[in-house]
């Protein structure tokens, strides 16, 4: 049985992804959740985990240093990498929306959009025929309208708390987001049996959870 390398996102998504793998019957150590280690070998499962920044998971998978990975649909849409999307894990569900200060319109001549998703935002505004200037930020996007850097933001909304606590309102719902299981196309061919088995086990849990919801 060949070894499988799985790229896991650190941070928010990790916990849900870890739980899903446990429920799918993988024997993963409990300390994995707390550990600061970036590479964890599970010899009993013949699996190696790489713990990566969510934005970097598709990079590892596209380059084939990870066979599979768990990545947000937001990251996949933004980066458009050559990976196979195998399964919607239905975890970390949220959406991308535009937001801004209440009762405001966008500047008619030079509307500015702050976002960490320049591709998604560009495509969206192009699609609705708006010409905008994209201002790329790396986080705390909600600050932009508050301090006059942008008319709108394009960002993830999960509970809606960050918008609310910063006095912003949602304007347009752009797209739904959840975590996906992705695979390197070559690994998918060479390690097909192992990957298909993993997909089957995860699919069963995902379907059960959807039924129970
Ligand atoms: C994300 C996103 C929003 C927030 C939305 O930020 O960019 O700011 O979560 O969540 P909510 O609707 O539940 O409030 P993240 O915490 O990843 O940090 P960031 O500001 O560094 O992007």
């Amino acid at each position: 049985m060949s070894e499988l390398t799985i790229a896991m996102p650190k941070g928010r998504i990790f916990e849900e992804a870890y739980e899903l793998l446990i429920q799918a019957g993988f024997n993963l150590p409990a300390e994995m959740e707390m550990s600061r280690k970036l590479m964890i070998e599970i010899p009993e499962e013949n699996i190696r985990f790489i713990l990566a920044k969510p934005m970097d998971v598709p990079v590892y998978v596209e380059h084939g240093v990870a066979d599979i990975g768990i990545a947000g649909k937001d990251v996949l849409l933004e980066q458009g990498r050559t990976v196979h999307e195998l399964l919607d894990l239905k975890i970390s569900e949220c959406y991308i929306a535009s937001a801004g200060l209440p009762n405001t319109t966008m500047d008619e001549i030079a509307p500015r959009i702050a976002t960490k998703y320049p591709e998604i935002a560009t495509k969206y505004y192009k699609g609705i025929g708006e010409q905008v200037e994209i201002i790329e930020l790396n986080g705390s996007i909600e600050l932009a309208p508050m301090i006059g850097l942008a008319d709108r933001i394009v960002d993830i909304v999960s509970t809606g708390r960050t918008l609310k606590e910063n006095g912003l309102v949602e304007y347009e719902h752009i797209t739904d987001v959840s975590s996906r299981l992705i695979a390197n196309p070559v690994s998918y061919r060479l390690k097909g049996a192992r990957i298909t088995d993993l997909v089957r086990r995860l699919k069963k849990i995902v379907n059960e959870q959807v039924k129970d919801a």
Side-chain angles (χ1 to χ4, degrees), residues 77 118-128:
L77 286 171
E119 277 302 315
I120 294 174
T122 302
K123 246 187 223 152
Y124 174 72
Y125 284 103
K126 209 169 169 191
I128 60 167

Side-chain angles (χ1 to χ4, degrees), residues 12 94-95 116-117 137-142 153-166:
R12 270 188 210 224
C94 53
Y95 57 96
K116 57 183 170 196
Y117 299 104
L137 296 174
N138 290 305
S140 303
I141 315 295
E142 290 80 3
I153 61 169
V154 166
D155 199 17
I156 290 283
V157 181
S158 176
T159 60
R161 246 187 91 185
T162 312
L163 287 182
K164 199 164 171 220
E165 290 192 13
N166 290 290

Side-chain angles (χ1 to χ4, degrees), residues 34-167:
M34 323 285 265
S35 167
R36 294 243 166 188
K37 270 194 168 173
L38 299 175
M39 198 156 77
I40 299 172
E41 305 269 356
I42 318 277
E44 314 84 72
E45 297 279 2
N46 204 12
I47 287 178
R48 179 166 62 158
F49 284 97
I50 295 176
L51 299 186
K53 280 267 182 199
M55 283 273 189
D56 293 338
V57 166
V59 180
Y60 292 106
V61 175
E62 184 180 55
H63 287 272
V65 290
D67 300 302
I68 56 175
I70 293 177
K73 185 67 183 174
D74 53 335
V75 175
L76 297 173
L77 286 171
E78 181 62 27
Q79 299 182 355
R81 293 188 182 275
T82 310
V83 295
H84 287 336
E85 199 179 304
L86 301 178
L87 183 65
D88 182 350
L89 297 171
K90 310 246 168 87
I91 55 172
S92 306
E93 291 185 300
C94 53
Y95 57 96
I96 295 178
S98 72
L101 292 170
N103 308 312
T104 53
T105 52
M106 295 211 294
D107 187 295
E108 275 177 27
I109 300 163
R112 289 162 305 156
I113 314 294
T115 187
K116 57 183 170 196
Y117 299 104
E119 277 302 315
I120 294 174
T122 302
K123 246 187 223 152
Y124 174 72
Y125 284 103
K126 209 169 169 191
I128 60 167
E130 291 268 8
Q131 230 193 339
V132 299
E133 180 193 345
I134 302 289
I135 299 172
E136 192 174 346
L137 296 174
N138 290 305
S140 303
I141 315 295
E142 290 80 3
L143 271 175
M146 298 163 65
I147 56 174
L149 178 64
D151 301 292
R152 294 282 184 267
I153 61 169
V154 166
D155 199 17
I156 290 283
V157 181
S158 176
T159 60
R161 246 187 91 185
T162 312
L163 287 182
K164 199 164 171 220
E165 290 192 13
N166 290 290

